[in-house]
Amino acid sequence: MLPTGRSRSKWIARILFVIVLVGLFVPYFYFRSDEYWQQKNYDDAMTFHKKSTFQPRASTNFLLEYMSNSLLSDKEEIRGGHRGIHFHWDDWIDLSPGDSILNDYRETFPEGECDSSLQEFGNVNPFWMESHHKKLLRSSVFSYCTLPIPKQIFFMGDNNLIKVPVSSKERLAIGNTPYSREELVNKMVLLESSLDKKKESLIETIPFEEFPKTIEINTEEFVFNPDYEILKLKSKLNKDTPSKDDGEKFEMKDMEYLDFLEYANSYVDTAPKYFKYPWIYSDLFKGQAHHLEFKFFRRYIGDHERQSVVHHMSRAWFEFAQANNIVSWINYGSLLGWVYNGVNMPWDTDVDIQVPINELAKLTRRGLNNTLVIENPRFGNAKYLFDISPSFIRQGNSNNFIDARFIEVNSGLYIDISALSKTNYPPPSEIFEGLTESEVKSVIPVNCKNFNWQLIEEILPIKYATFEGGPSFIPNQVSRILDRKYGRESYTTKEEFKGHNYQSDLNMWVPDRICKFPHLTDPRFVLGDKSRLTLEGACDSIELQDEYQIVYESSQRHIALEDEQDTPVSYNIGKLGSLPISRKDPWDYFHDINKDLVKHDRWFVKVKGKEKST
Ligand SMILES: *[C@@H]1O[C@H](CO)[C@@H](O)[C@H](O)[C@H]1NC(C)=O
């Protein structure tokens, strides 16, 4: 139907309005400098922290007390649940942006219930474009009401990964007592020393062990056929009398796993995107929210803060994965960053990790999906949600390329995990480059859901490497993989990239806004201390001085041991150990400045882990 005269003029008015809006928006957001955005994000973070009374250490403290009570006292006496800890997201993440709505509910229902109108408010699709303020409200309400509680919590101690079951959704109003880091560390040490006191307990422990140099992976791990798995399970269930339910085990029973597979197998053909980020008007041109999980969205994250999250997160991931026998390795942007100087590239918005597809099936079956992981309080206040998309099982409608995420819940930043599998799609010919005819026949190409192809033979065996100063794994033939994906120049001769330039005497990427390939007459390094730059040597930038000191040890180790990307020098992993954490925890950073506890704004710290007793 054609519009009538009146509605036509209404439409013209609307269109004009949009044109004017865009005309104003584009210059405002598009032509602002990087410096402007960094400063704005920094100021916003500071304001956010000043307003919020949330204390990330309060929940960790509660967990520590809960664990030691469950070890040492009678189960019935434990505050917080005697068959597992009660959990409500309101106790664990900062939902203060939703206070204007949530406070009434907290008062009326102290245990954290919602009503349907509140639920509806939080359930609006994150891709629905709205204002920043509205999105924050929605994301806070969504996490409060609807976000499933984790199945279990893993606490990362000095020597052990400690697992605590979650029993039910209940708000404990843990509060915002400002516990100090030392208090938490002392409680952790005490707890770990008493772990063997009591055998009968809710909590399970997995001791951390030394990382292996290489890991071979069975090629069958790259094959997953849901239809076949469903058939196999059905025929097993038909033959077997179902085994008795054995209570507290987390492993999925056959029946439950079958239900999951059948659900996922139809879900994957109609699924929308599983991992969502908030769509916000004012973010239309800059897209800063594109790298933030909706459910934990609070504010945009500046470069230094993000680098800190990435630093802590990649180390936590590989420790967590190793303790749980999860095989994974870094790839793409993160691997490219590693080739240069052993750390992620400063502008990279996430960490990219790959796993064989069957790994995700096994993890789902082992009940490890939807697990909350608590960082060792020595290092920081981070908490991570391990979240597997049910769409991992096969290609489906191609709405989902990312198969799982390890999400830092204070910021919404994450590690992207993609599964590689052997499929029936035809591989591109580049993948066979340089191979003889008989090799072409024997190699096994695998791909992720975004159709990045690799050969299993390029990946295996995966090798230990130091990434961000901590343990990680890399594929076997790094150069072959990077050459095909980015071209050889990407890591041999390229010196300018995304507003940064690689200064090889510093072994690091420097933002162009600070300086571009400077020719300095004054000495660059502090006399007798190569780990520090003079102010002139840092192009008069304290920021660069800070950043250089942060990356120094990682880049030095990288150059000494891993400069040859395909054949690193062999070294004793246990003896060298991880490098200290060198980026301050973001919450501590803003907190310390706001409370005047520091007289500078540097991110550099040097936090050593406890020497492992071996
Ligand atoms: C993982 O847990 C989340 C939250 O409960 C759920 O939505 C998702 O479907 C689960 N994924 C798998 C693979 O079971």
Side-chain angles (χ1 to χ4, degrees):
M1 202 170 66
L2 286 171
T4 61
R6 230 166 101 201
S7 78
R8 189 184 298 147
S9 59
K10 217 159 136 194
W11 271 103
I12 291 172
R14 274 184 195 169
I15 289 165
L16 279 177
F17 178 70
V18 169
I19 290 172
V20 170
L21 213 63
V22 169
L24 288 173
F25 259 139
V26 172
Y28 183 79
F29 288 97
Y30 204 76
F31 298 109
R32 292 283 184 170
S33 66
D34 180 40
E35 199 153 10
Y36 166 84
W37 289 108
Q38 293 306 328
Q39 191 59 45
K40 179 162 177 18
N41 289 340
Y42 189 91
D43 296 343
D44 288 351
M46 216 52 106
T47 313
F48 184 95
H49 275 249
K50 268 203 193 108
K51 266 208 254 165
S52 168
T53 55
F54 178 75
Q55 295 280 336
R57 285 199 276 270
S59 53
T60 312
N61 179 74
F62 185 86
L63 178 69
L64 279 161
E65 286 181 355
Y66 182 87
M67 291 189 291
S68 60
N69 286 340
S70 116
L71 272 181
L72 302 172
S73 38
D74 267 339
K75 275 191 188 172
E76 311 306 318
E77 287 169 23
I78 304 175
R79 171 165 184 246
H82 44 257
R83 285 193 303 113
I85 194 168
H86 296 320
F87 190 99
H88 192 291
W89 281 107
D90 196 33
D91 286 321
W92 293 80
I93 54 178
D94 190 349
L95 297 183
S96 62
D99 277 356
S100 61
I101 298 179
L102 293 177
N103 275 346
D104 282 348
Y105 281 86
R106 291 179 179 122
E107 217 164 274
T108 322
F109 313 107
E111 294 186 349
E113 294 93 335
C114 296
D115 57 24
S116 56
S117 73
L118 189 64
Q119 245 164 27
E120 242 168 71
F121 179 83
N123 276 349
V124 166
N125 191 334
F127 291 150
W128 176 249
M129 183 90 72
E130 282 177 316
S131 72
H132 186 265
H133 174 72
K134 199 65 174 275
K135 265 304 174 234
L136 262 181
L137 283 177
R138 295 224 198 264
S139 132
S140 307
V141 169
F142 175 79
S143 298
Y144 190 93
C145 295
T146 311
L147 179 60
I149 57 169
K151 273 218 195 83
Q152 64 242 303
I153 301 175
F154 276 98
F155 176 83
M156 306 185 81
D158 283 331
N159 303 307
N160 303 277
L161 192 60
I162 309 175
K163 175 165 153 184
V164 181
V166 171
S167 58
S168 59
K169 179 163 176 172
E170 186 178 323
R171 186 169 167 271
L172 296 166
I174 284 172
N176 42 24
T177 312
Y179 294 95
S180 72
R181 167 175 317 266
E182 290 69 37
E183 275 173 279
L184 298 197
V185 170
N186 291 340
K187 282 181 188 171
M188 167 179 73
V189 171
L190 208 66
L191 174 73
E192 287 203 83
S193 67
S194 52
L195 277 177
D196 48 1
K197 292 247 168 71
K198 197 164 173 189
K199 292 269 132 48
E200 264 293 300
S201 164
L202 284 172
I203 68 179
E204 274 175 60
T205 58
I206 310 173
F208 289 125
E209 277 162 25
E210 198 169 294
F211 281 73
K213 280 199 175 120
T214 59
I215 304 180
E216 269 298 352
I217 301 167
N218 196 321
T219 55
E220 282 162 26
E221 298 297 316
F222 292 85
V223 181
F224 189 77
N225 179 338
D227 292 326
Y228 176 67
E229 296 296 323
I230 288 171
L231 266 180
K232 219 166 57 176
L233 262 178
K234 276 190 175 158
S235 83
K236 180 173 174 218
L237 281 167
N238 278 339
K239 272 184 238 140
D240 276 4
T241 42
S243 58
K244 256 192 82 197
D245 199 46
D246 45 359
E248 305 207 317
K249 278 261 176 64
F250 284 92
E251 245 97 304
M252 277 186 175
K253 307 289 162 308
D254 287 344
M255 202 56 200
E256 196 187 341
Y257 187 51
L258 179 62
D259 283 348
F260 161 74
L261 285 175
E262 287 188 322
Y263 159 74
N265 207 19
S266 66
Y267 170 86
V268 71
D269 290 320
T270 54
K273 267 208 183 341
Y274 180 77
F275 295 109
K276 297 190 180 72
Y277 62 87
W279 279 30
I280 295 168
Y281 293 124
S282 53
D283 191 40
L284 204 56
F285 298 103
K286 190 73 182 146
Q288 298 199 80
H290 293 201
H291 315 285
L292 297 168
E293 264 291 328
F294 165 71
K295 44 202 184 221
F296 303 118
F297 174 65
R298 296 290 163 275
R299 53 187 171 76
Y300 305 128
I301 312 283
D303 281 355
H304 292 296
E305 183 178 2
R306 189 188 58 243
Q307 284 172 278
S308 168
V309 173
V310 161
H311 182 65
H312 289 250
M313 180 161 68
S314 72
R315 295 175 63 144
W317 164 257
F318 279 102
E319 296 275 3
F320 168 74
Q322 184 64 19
N324 280 300
N325 289 318
I326 305 170
V327 291
S328 69
W329 57 92
I330 57 170
N331 212 326
Y332 306 133
S334 300
L335 189 60
L336 194 54
W338 175 83
V339 170
Y340 272 92
N341 55 358
V343 298
N344 225 31
M345 295 181 295
W347 59 88
D348 202 344
T349 47
D350 60 17
V351 178
D352 292 312
I353 274 176
Q354 295 179 322
V355 293
I357 190 164
N358 203 31
E359 198 69 20
L360 293 183
K362 286 194 293 192
L363 291 173
T364 301
R365 181 131 210 206
R366 282 168 61 196
L368 278 175
N369 175 41
N370 196 17
T371 288
L372 190 69
V373 182
I374 314 296
E375 183 180 30
N376 183 325
R378 261 182 221 285
F379 299 138
N381 309 307
K383 302 181 174 75
Y384 307 98
L385 184 70
F386 180 48
D387 190 350
I388 308 177
S389 167
S391 62
F392 81 84
I393 61 162
R394 61 182 169 81
Q395 187 70 31
N397 61 5
S398 283
N399 268 343
N400 286 283
F401 296 154
I402 302 301
D403 297 298
R405 265 180 190 169
F406 193 62
I407 311 163
E408 204 281 309
V409 303
N410 296 321
S411 62
L413 291 163
Y414 46 76
I415 294 181
D416 264 343
I417 302 173
S418 35
L420 291 180
S421 59
K422 191 172 171 304
T423 60
N424 293 327
Y425 298 97
S429 57
E430 305 96 82
I431 188 130
F432 300 115
E433 216 172 274
L435 301 184
T436 65
E437 221 167 282
S438 72
E439 278 170 338
V440 168
K441 280 193 196 117
S442 71
V443 293
I444 308 174
V446 287
N447 68 287
C448 74
K449 295 186 181 65
N450 200 14
F451 294 104
N452 285 296
W453 287 85
Q454 269 154 65
L455 299 175
I456 287 187
E457 289 73 12
E458 296 167 343
I459 299 168
L460 299 183
I462 55 172
K463 297 181 296 200
Y464 181 89
T466 303
F467 179 63
E468 289 288 341
S472 76
F473 289 94
I474 53 170
N476 188 29
Q477 296 180 35
V478 174
S479 62
R480 191 178 155 90
I481 290 170
L482 292 182
D483 285 358
R484 188 173 57 237
K485 175 94 185 154
Y486 301 108
R488 172 145 297 207
E489 67 289 351
S490 70
Y491 63 96
T492 49
T493 53
K494 196 163 174 130
E495 290 187 316
E496 291 184 69
F497 214 164
K498 297 256 168 136
H500 288 67
N501 61 99
Y502 195 78
Q503 301 187 10
S504 47
D505 55 340
L506 306 188
N507 301 303
M508 65 182 278
W509 291 101
V510 176
D512 295 343
R513 69 182 154 80
I514 295 181
C515 59
K516 228 172 154 179
F517 305 115
H519 298 287
L520 299 160
T521 45
D522 294 313
R524 222 170 182 193
F525 304 97
V526 171
L527 196 66
D529 185 359
K530 277 280 247 178
S531 75
R532 294 176 56 201
L533 296 181
T534 61
L535 196 54
E536 300 75 34
C539 312
D540 294 318
S541 158
I542 293 177
E543 186 187 342
L544 182 55
Q545 276 187 319
D546 189 25
E547 192 60 25
Y548 177 73
Q549 211 174 353
I550 290 170
V551 175
Y552 180 76
E553 280 198 70
S554 285
S555 66
Q556 288 302 307
R557 179 179 285 191
H558 184 76
I559 286 154
L561 302 174
E562 297 166 339
D563 210 22
E564 275 298 321
Q565 64 275 354
D566 291 338
T567 45
V569 175
S570 129
Y571 57 93
N572 186 322
I573 294 167
K575 236 190 190 149
L576 275 184
S578 292
L579 293 169
I581 287 279
S582 60
R583 291 187 194 271
K584 191 166 181 172
D585 172 88
W587 188 85
D588 287 345
Y589 178 90
F590 294 112
H591 174 259
D592 289 0
I593 293 177
N594 272 332
K595 298 271 176 230
D596 245 343
L597 300 175
V598 287
K599 296 277 167 261
H600 61 79
D601 60 357
R602 303 198 174 201
W603 286 89
F604 174 69
V605 288
K606 198 164 179 170
V607 187
K608 290 203 178 104
K610 188 187 149 278
E611 295 294 316
K612 302 252 158 76
S613 45
T614 36

